[in-house]
Amino acid sequence: MALPTKFAGTGFKEADPSIKRRLLVGVEALEKEGKTHFALTAPGPIAVFDFDTGMEGVVHKFAKQKKIYVSDYRRLGNVMTNTADNWVVLWEKFKREYIAAMDESEIRTVILDTATEVWELLRLARFGKLTQVMPYHYGPVNAEYRELIRKAFSSEKNLILLHKMKDEYVNDKRTGNLKRSGFNDTGFLVQVNVR
């Protein structure tokens, strides 16, 4: 169908009525509340980036029903022994594997367990530390992380971002509320937020 005359020469195009059969989901919960179990109920085959210890005792329940591929980052990210150069190498490894999982036609679901730690890894790779970084330095880092999530929008893959939770503070005082730990804009970038 042709565009209306006034739209000629503009960036407008008719909306695509087809629906992609995938979801981008942000999941946040306290420890031991079933984040990993929930994520592993997604359609397989699944590629899991394991930055946490939540897979143990859970993955075996699903591994007989569907293919699950795990890339283990738990032992690679020791804050006490890694140097700034090592964080960069580890981040580049993660990016390569993430893009490979997104591009692999067999994979149906990609899980970041946890996206909280993926965000920390990126910050360590770019700043060499997690604290005392000026807000104006975050622009390129925020953009890099957003692009990882946006890559899922151009795919047919489910993306499940598992997040830890932390206390919320206002003026250095705990409010009694909890909030997602990790990239602040995750809730805006995903299609579904689960708490």
Side-chain angles (χ1 to χ4, degrees), residues 98-187:
Y98 178 83
I99 291 167
M102 283 293 171
D103 291 344
E104 174 53 55
S105 61
E106 179 187 350
I107 298 299
R108 184 74 183 99
T109 301
V110 175
I111 300 170
L112 302 186
D113 190 2
T114 69
T116 300
E117 290 162 302
V118 172
W119 174 238
E120 288 177 359
L121 174 59
L122 173 56
R123 291 164 48 215
L124 286 165
R126 297 299 177 245
F127 304 135
K129 57 186 178 177
L130 296 175
T131 60
Q132 299 177 332
V133 177
M134 298 304 293
Y136 60 85
H137 288 124
Y138 273 92
V141 173
N142 291 343
E144 188 173 1
Y145 194 84
R146 273 190 198 95
E147 282 310 305
L148 284 176
I149 295 173
R150 287 182 179 145
K151 179 138 179 77
F153 274 103
S154 62
S155 78
E156 297 289 330
K157 312 264 186 262
N158 298 303
L159 175 62
I160 302 176
L161 306 169
L162 303 182
H163 288 90
K164 297 176 181 181
M165 296 188 74
K166 63 183 180 180
D167 289 319
E168 178 184 65
Y169 286 83
V170 174
N171 298 326
D172 295 328
K173 292 190 172 119
R174 286 173 51 183
T175 65
N177 295 324
L178 297 171
K179 67 178 194 172
R180 176 189 319 109
S181 180
F183 184 61
N184 288 337
D185 283 356
T186 297

Side-chain angles (χ1 to χ4, degrees), residues 14-91:
E14 191 169 349
D16 182 356
S18 62
I19 296 173
K20 290 205 177 209
R21 298 183 49 81
R22 54 104 175 93
L23 282 174
L24 280 67
V25 182
V27 179
E28 55 192 61
L30 292 173
E31 63 276 2
K32 310 302 177 243
E33 288 190 341
K35 294 182 296 292
T36 303
H37 184 281
F38 172 75
L40 290 171
T41 65
I46 297 175
V48 181
F49 293 89
D50 185 15
F51 285 81
D52 198 17
T53 58
M55 295 280 293
E56 188 174 311
V58 179
V59 72
H60 73 278
K61 295 183 233 178
F62 300 93
K64 291 181 182 171
Q65 303 163 9
K66 57 186 121 180
K67 287 184 182 178
I68 300 174
Y69 303 97
V70 180
S71 185
D72 185 356
Y73 282 79
R74 290 174 299 148
R75 291 171 191 80
L76 302 175
N78 187 332
V79 177
M80 304 305 284
T81 59
N82 269 341
T83 65
D85 289 340
N86 289 348
W87 292 119
V88 171
V89 169
L90 193 56
W91 174 251

